[in-house]
Amino acid sequence: MRPRLALTLGDVNGVGPEILVKALSRPELFDVFRPLVFGSVSTLESVRHWALACPRFVVVNGAADIEDEATIVPVMECGLAAPVRRPGQLDREAGRCAVEWLKAAIRSALAGKVDGIVTCPLNKEGIHLAGYSYSGHTEVLAEMTASPDYRMCLFTDRMRIVHISSHCALREAIEEVRQDRIATSIRIAHETLTRLGLPRRSIAVAGLNPHAGEAGLFGDEEQREILPAVEECRGEGIACSGPYPPDTVFRRMWEGEFDLVVAMYHDQGHIPLKLIAMDEGVNVTLGIPIVRTSVDHGTAYDIAGCGIAREHSLCKAIELAARLAKED
Amino acid sequence: MRPRLALTLGDVNGVGPEILVKALSRPELFDVFRPLVFGSVSTLESVRHWALACPRFVVVNGAADIEDEATIVPVMECGLAAPVRRPGQLDREAGRCAVEWLKAAIRSALAGKVDGIVTCPLNKEGIHLAGYSYSGHTEVLAEMTASPDYRMCLFTDRMRIVHISSHCALREAIEEVRQDRIATSIRIAHETLTRLGLPRRSIAVAGLNPHAGEAGLFGDEEQREILPAVEECRGEGIACSGPYPPDTVFRRMWEGEFDLVVAMYHDQGHIPLKLIAMDEGVNVTLGIPIVRTSVDHGTAYDIAGCGIAREHSLCKAIELAARLAKED
């Protein structure tokens, strides 16, 4: 059976509604999953002109309530009235709906009613206006699933990156380069490659410093923290190696030498991935008990409502979530 | 008149000799420069079989001594007897020759006898074995030209990157993110784009932290040091802007929005450049009184002597040095 995936609409004034109708107008996507949108039918219908082939949206009260699946897309509105769409405008109600739809989707996933969650972008300022202190989706997921040790990852067809830390100052990220965090990241990466069914599961661990420290000449984190973590995980039978010089390890993965790189800080992984695959990257949250993927871009207020936002990253996020969910 | 460029042979047991004969077998390169090799005729002749079209090498005692330029490549041996070539072997004599040829080339450049220097790779361990404490070419250049404020840069056809610091631990690199260093880097970048004759000279300055600090949320270096440096240079009439989120600024340069990015640390610039242009990057040392470019790879002992090393980066380094030298 194709997995049921929750698709959250995110901020209605961003590009979320637009990319969602565009993605759902691609019939081939329905071969790999069944949708359950958490959002607003009126918002979605208001952008239908960007993708006329998209099936009709119908309000439902739960996954059990879905009929006539072949011709409609079911939508859970969760009792929320989305504000009238004003593309590019910061709005507290838009922020509130984005968070509440997300929370409802997470509850559905935890209850086993959906097999995974794919999220469209929300706006951080918008959710702060609405009175939440979350800095993004991931914090909501971590809190509701009681998962302090989650990892943000970026996947494309040829590049997979697990970051040991995420949104913090570079100074603080360096302090997170510790054997335990790195070893946990390697184990999470290994488990994910297994779930994806990759036969080889070859993991490279990047160094922190230029040339991976050049044998201790430029920093000692490689010898003190990274190498011990690699050795610890190799001892458990995981096919990992490193630390490798950061400036060539991503190229080597791109050329096929590795399946995944464990990156030491946010930009070490984001710079190569966004360079090679600006519109194709998928964000994955690992280390939580549910499947969750996301587009790799923000609300893009500057182009929201223009009809030019590309649905490519959302399609890839749906495909990846479907692959990860099938193994559950 | 085509500029005269010194080509230093580097470590004879690395890929230097091989890429040098391959590059010099390309007749079109001679349209933009005239060579003066600092190295060993016997070493070069021993690898001629990799590139039979390369002109004959002839020992000379200086630029004034060169005759019959059309059919030979002049070589300054500087009284040094290079060791017999043993590809991939660490050798103190090879280290000594690499440094002394480089020093002779720098003296020629300072005396105005050559218009610039292009260097083949040397081996750091080799030069340490020979008793020098330099960590590479750049330190020799900085010392002999009395230039403490040099900058390492990476150039390709579509990407130009000036780093505010280079070979040091990431921890130390963060401490170098200071308004004065950044402003100096922007000025050096602007001067270089002017010398290259680029009409627009648009310089982007990268942030240090994820999302360029997200308005102070992830670190304050953007607001405290980087933005003031950008404003200082804009006040001088330089077309610079930033700080930009590091994970998209290189993509934006690659797409043509900027001519050059000022990067906050070694890997921030090296990761994107090596990913996009593994064999085409050229290393440039700016902030010194002579023109100097270099291949963007090391001695590659693992493939030295196999005949598979590519001369592409060396050809690009020669072309760029010729362009920079013409404006002197």
Side-chain angles (χ1 to χ4, degrees), chain A residues 72-208:
Chain A
I72 63 119
V73 173
V75 179
M76 299 271 285
E77 292 195 328
C78 311
L80 294 161
V84 172
R85 191 163 179 268
R86 293 180 301 157
Q89 296 296 307
L90 203 57
D91 184 296
R92 57 170 286 170
E93 267 308 290
R96 190 172 77 92
C97 289
V99 172
E100 295 305 323
W101 287 324
L102 172 66
K103 287 185 168 180
I106 296 169
R107 280 191 295 268
S108 285
L110 286 171
K113 293 179 182 162
V114 296
D115 302 308
I117 301 175
V118 181
T119 57
C120 288
L122 50 71
N123 187 290
K124 207 169 298 181
E125 286 181 75
I127 67 177
H128 289 172
L129 273 184
Y132 303 99
S133 60
Y134 303 116
S135 73
H137 286 101
T138 316
E139 287 71 22
V140 184
L141 282 152
E143 180 184 289
M144 288 184 64
T145 63
S147 310
D149 222 13
Y150 60 86
R151 293 290 185 278
M152 194 187 60
C153 312
L154 279 174
F155 279 36
T156 69
D157 291 340
R158 289 168 74 168
M159 298 178 84
R160 296 173 197 88
I161 299 169
V162 171
H163 297 82
I164 67 162
S165 67
S166 175
H167 292 129
C168 62
L170 188 57
R171 247 175 233 284
E172 290 163 36
I174 293 177
E175 303 305 328
E176 300 292 326
V177 176
R178 295 191 319 266
Q179 181 175 347
D180 58 340
R181 274 195 83 82
I182 301 163
T184 301
S185 304
I186 296 170
R187 288 187 198 104
I188 289 174
H190 176 72
E191 190 211 0
T192 304
L193 295 178
T194 307
R195 285 162 68 104
L196 286 175
L198 297 192
R200 194 179 50 166
R201 306 194 284 276
S202 159
I203 297 168
V205 182
L208 171 70

Side-chain angles (χ1 to χ4, degrees), chain A residues 142-312:
Chain A
E143 180 184 289
M144 288 184 64
T145 63
S147 310
D149 222 13
Y150 60 86
R151 293 290 185 278
M152 194 187 60
C153 312
L154 279 174
F155 279 36
T156 69
D157 291 340
R158 289 168 74 168
M159 298 178 84
R160 296 173 197 88
I161 299 169
V162 171
H163 297 82
I164 67 162
S165 67
S166 175
H167 292 129
C168 62
L170 188 57
R171 247 175 233 284
E172 290 163 36
I174 293 177
E175 303 305 328
E176 300 292 326
V177 176
R178 295 191 319 266
Q179 181 175 347
D180 58 340
R181 274 195 83 82
I182 301 163
T184 301
S185 304
I186 296 170
R187 288 187 198 104
I188 289 174
H190 176 72
E191 190 211 0
T192 304
L193 295 178
T194 307
R195 285 162 68 104
L196 286 175
L198 297 192
R200 194 179 50 166
R201 306 194 284 276
S202 159
I203 297 168
V205 182
L208 171 70
N209 297 297
H211 308 184
E214 190 122 6
L217 220 59
F218 321 136
D220 63 354
E221 289 87 352
E222 282 76 11
Q223 293 169 3
R224 208 182 60 216
E225 307 287 345
I226 307 176
L227 186 60
V230 170
E231 286 172 348
E232 181 183 332
C233 292
R234 287 179 73 90
E236 297 166 13
I238 296 176
C240 60
S241 56
Y244 292 106
D247 62 354
T248 47
V249 72
F250 297 97
R251 169 83 181 205
R252 291 167 70 178
M253 169 165 60
W254 187 75
E255 287 175 342
E257 188 174 345
F258 310 115
D259 291 319
L260 187 150
V261 170
V262 176
M264 292 299 117
Y265 52 90
H266 178 280
D267 283 341
Q268 193 184 59
H270 270 64
I271 288 173
L273 195 129
K274 295 222 166 188
L275 186 60
I276 286 281
M278 191 65 156
D279 297 311
E280 293 169 40
V282 177
N283 232 298
V284 194
T285 314
L286 299 178
I288 60 175
I290 59 179
V291 168
R292 184 260 173 155
T293 66
S294 164
V295 295
D296 182 31
H297 56 74
T299 44
Y301 274 178
D302 53 330
I303 61 162
C306 302
I308 57 172
R310 293 185 54 194
E311 74 277 24
H312 205 80

Side-chain angles (χ1 to χ4, degrees), chain B residues 12 35 46 146 292:
Chain B
V12 296
S46 78
R292 185 260 172 156

Side-chain angles (χ1 to χ4, degrees), chain A residues 124 167-171 174-175 209-211 214 221 246-247 251 265 267 270 272 274-276 278, chain B residues 124 167-168 170-171 174-175 209-211 214 218 221 246-247 251 265 267 270-272 274-276 278:
Chain A
K124 207 169 298 181
H167 292 129
C168 62
L170 188 57
R171 247 175 233 284
I174 293 177
E175 303 305 328
N209 297 297
H211 308 184
E214 190 122 6
E221 289 87 352
D247 62 354
R251 169 83 181 205
Y265 52 90
D267 283 341
H270 270 64
K274 295 222 166 188
L275 186 60
I276 286 281
M278 191 65 156
Chain B
K124 208 170 297 184
H167 292 129
C168 62
L170 187 57
R171 246 174 232 284
I174 292 177
E175 303 305 327
N209 297 297
H211 308 183
E214 191 123 6
F218 320 137
E221 290 86 351
D247 61 354
R251 169 81 181 207
Y265 52 91
D267 284 342
H270 270 64
I271 288 173
K274 295 220 167 188
L275 186 60
I276 286 281
M278 192 66 158

Side-chain angles (χ1 to χ4, degrees), chain B residues 203-207 212 222 226-228 230-231 234 240-245 258:
Chain B
I203 298 170
V205 182
E222 282 77 11
I226 307 176
L227 186 59
V230 170
E231 286 172 347
R234 286 178 74 89
C240 60
S241 56
Y244 291 105
F258 309 116

